[in-house]
């Protein structure tokens, strides 16, 4: 049975570049995955931490699966991670993500890519408001036996921009494939 978690996180962060408080997705009172965000210079950075045994799916999971299927019909495609900037920020460049792990089962014509452990999503942004930015995240967190729908929001304060570059090695990230 799939259940949905809806959370909105406030934050105690008051300085540019500080992380928000984590927003947790839980199953049977145990944490599955948590999300936190920060603005660093002109970049939005979202950090995802998976509990052991749990995984989520790549932002471009559908594009990757369609490429592997090469026109064949799939039995199903897992729900990708979707990140939407709903208030206070606008995208100013493409999304980048940690390289996803291949979770596919080609013998079943089931292709999927996802994440375990700690991963990052990063995008160049520009401020379009004052006060707070709101980031909506939707997706799916799964184990071998259970899946949870994710529907959460993170609120990030739009304080004076931090001009220090982010401490992220962009060479360890891959650009999210665009829809075709």
């Amino acid at each position: 049975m799939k259940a949905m978690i809806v959370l909105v996180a406030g934050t105690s962060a008051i300085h540019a570049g500080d992380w928000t408080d984590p927003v947790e997705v839980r199953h049977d009172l145990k944490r599955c995955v948590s999300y936190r965000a920060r603005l660093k210079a002109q970049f939005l950075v979202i950090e995802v931490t998976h509990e052991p045994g749990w995984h989520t799916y790549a932002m471009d999971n559908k594009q990757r699966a369609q490429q592997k299927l090469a026109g064949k019909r799939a039995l199903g495609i897992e729900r990708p991670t979707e990140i939407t900037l709903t208030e206070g920020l606008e995208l100013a460049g493409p999304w980048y993500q940690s390289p996803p792990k291949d979770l596919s089962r080609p013998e079943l014509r089931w292709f999927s890519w996802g994440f375990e452990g700690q991963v990052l999503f990063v995008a160049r942004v520009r401020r379009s408001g004052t006060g707070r930015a709101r980031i909506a995240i939707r997706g799916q967190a799964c184990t071998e036996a259970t899946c949870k729908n994710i529907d959460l929001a993170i609120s990030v304060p739009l304080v004076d921009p931090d001009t220090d570059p982010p401490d992220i090695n962009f060479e360890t990230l891959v650009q999210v494939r665009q829809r075709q």
Side-chain angles (χ1 to χ4, degrees), residues 111-122:
F111 296 96
S112 198
W113 287 261
F115 306 107
E116 298 171 334
Q118 195 170 69
V119 299
L120 295 177
F121 295 102
V122 179

Side-chain angles (χ1 to χ4, degrees), residues 1-170:
M1 181 173 169
K2 295 181 181 178
M4 182 171 40
I5 297 290
V6 178
L7 299 172
V8 177
T11 179
S12 59
I14 57 170
H15 302 288
D18 285 351
W19 289 103
T20 62
D21 292 334
V23 179
E24 298 179 344
V25 177
R26 295 185 167 272
H27 174 68
D28 292 338
L29 303 178
K30 294 181 183 174
R31 183 175 53 218
C32 314
V33 62
S34 64
Y35 295 80
R36 64 183 187 157
R38 70 177 175 167
L39 287 171
K40 187 73 172 166
Q42 69 272 29
F43 293 95
L44 172 63
V45 181
I46 298 172
E47 181 185 76
V48 184
T49 303
H50 301 83
E51 293 301 312
W54 287 91
H55 60 271
T56 56
Y57 297 95
M59 288 180 81
D60 52 8
N61 195 45
K62 287 182 183 177
Q63 293 87 328
R64 290 170 180 269
Q66 289 170 345
Q67 182 180 12
K68 281 287 193 180
L69 288 163
K72 295 179 183 172
R73 188 172 164 97
L75 295 178
I77 298 175
E78 301 297 340
R79 185 174 184 181
T81 297
E82 299 173 16
I83 302 172
T84 307
L85 308 180
T86 61
E87 293 175 23
L89 293 173
E90 296 175 357
L91 278 178
W95 279 102
Y96 290 83
Q97 62 189 358
S98 296
K101 178 181 177 182
D102 189 344
L103 305 172
S104 301
R105 295 184 183 162
E107 68 280 6
L108 301 175
R109 268 190 311 164
W110 181 77
F111 296 96
S112 198
W113 287 261
F115 306 107
E116 298 171 334
Q118 195 170 69
V119 299
L120 295 177
F121 295 102
V122 179
R124 183 181 300 268
V125 294
R126 68 181 150 261
R127 295 161 196 266
S128 61
T130 59
R132 298 182 102 52
R134 184 175 158 91
I135 302 151
I137 301 174
R138 296 179 58 119
Q140 193 175 38
C142 297
T143 65
E144 289 295 322
T146 303
C147 286
K148 297 283 292 185
N149 285 330
I150 298 168
D151 188 7
L152 61 87
I154 301 175
S155 178
V156 180
L158 293 172
V159 295
D160 292 333
D162 185 343
T163 57
D164 293 333
D167 52 348
I168 296 168
N169 182 354
F170 284 90

